Amino acid sequence: AILKAEARLGDKIPQVDLQVLEYAGYGKNFITTNNISPDAYVQVAFQVAYHRVYRESVNTYETLMTKRFFHGRTEAGFTVTKESIALTQEFDSANQTPENLAALIRRAADAHIAVVKLGAVGR
């Protein structure tokens, strides 16, 4: 069974089409200098990107570490919040100012962090 699975996987690997786009305009230092969690920033960016393509928000799953528990475990975090929905709906608005957009991003990131912290303690 293992050899059969290995052969099937070997057949699938060449079918993967992967392209990597490296963006050097800014990175972690810009995000952290603006006091935003890089994880929250990326998770919110995923939600904005999905909304731009499909014009809807869907629950986003993130694995949360619960190291404080004996033997540790992971918890499922569903990180779409009312703040992230507000951001996704307003992101491409024609009358959006950079200042307002920055505030929406910060609120969505802060809400994301709050959800992650609750999940990390099993709540």
Side-chain angles (χ1 to χ4, degrees), residues 17-121:
D17 183 19
L18 175 67
Q19 296 180 13
V20 176
L21 171 64
E22 182 178 345
Y23 180 75
Y26 67 90
K28 177 184 171 189
N29 291 337
F30 170 81
I31 297 166
T32 56
T33 300
N34 285 285
N35 296 319
I36 299 175
S37 156
D39 171 63
Y41 187 89
V42 170
Q43 292 295 329
V44 169
F46 286 152
Q47 293 176 37
V48 169
Y50 188 92
H51 190 271
R52 289 176 100 182
V53 172
Y54 298 105
R55 307 313 291 164
E56 66 177 345
S57 293
V58 296
N59 238 343
T60 304
Y61 168 85
E62 180 178 1
T63 303
L64 308 175
M65 297 301 297
T66 54
K67 292 187 257 185
R68 68 173 28 174
F69 294 102
F70 183 65
H71 292 301
R73 58 185 167 92
T74 59
E75 183 68 42
F78 295 97
T79 56
V80 174
T81 63
K82 64 182 180 176
E83 293 83 1
S84 67
I85 290 173
L87 170 63
T88 62
Q89 291 173 342
E90 292 294 320
F91 194 83
D92 290 319
S93 176
N95 56 357
Q96 194 61 260
T97 66
E99 295 79 18
N100 188 44
L101 189 56
L104 287 169
I105 292 169
R106 183 167 309 284
R107 281 196 291 272
D110 289 347
H112 174 85
I113 291 168
V115 169
V116 168
K117 284 183 179 178
L118 285 174
V121 296

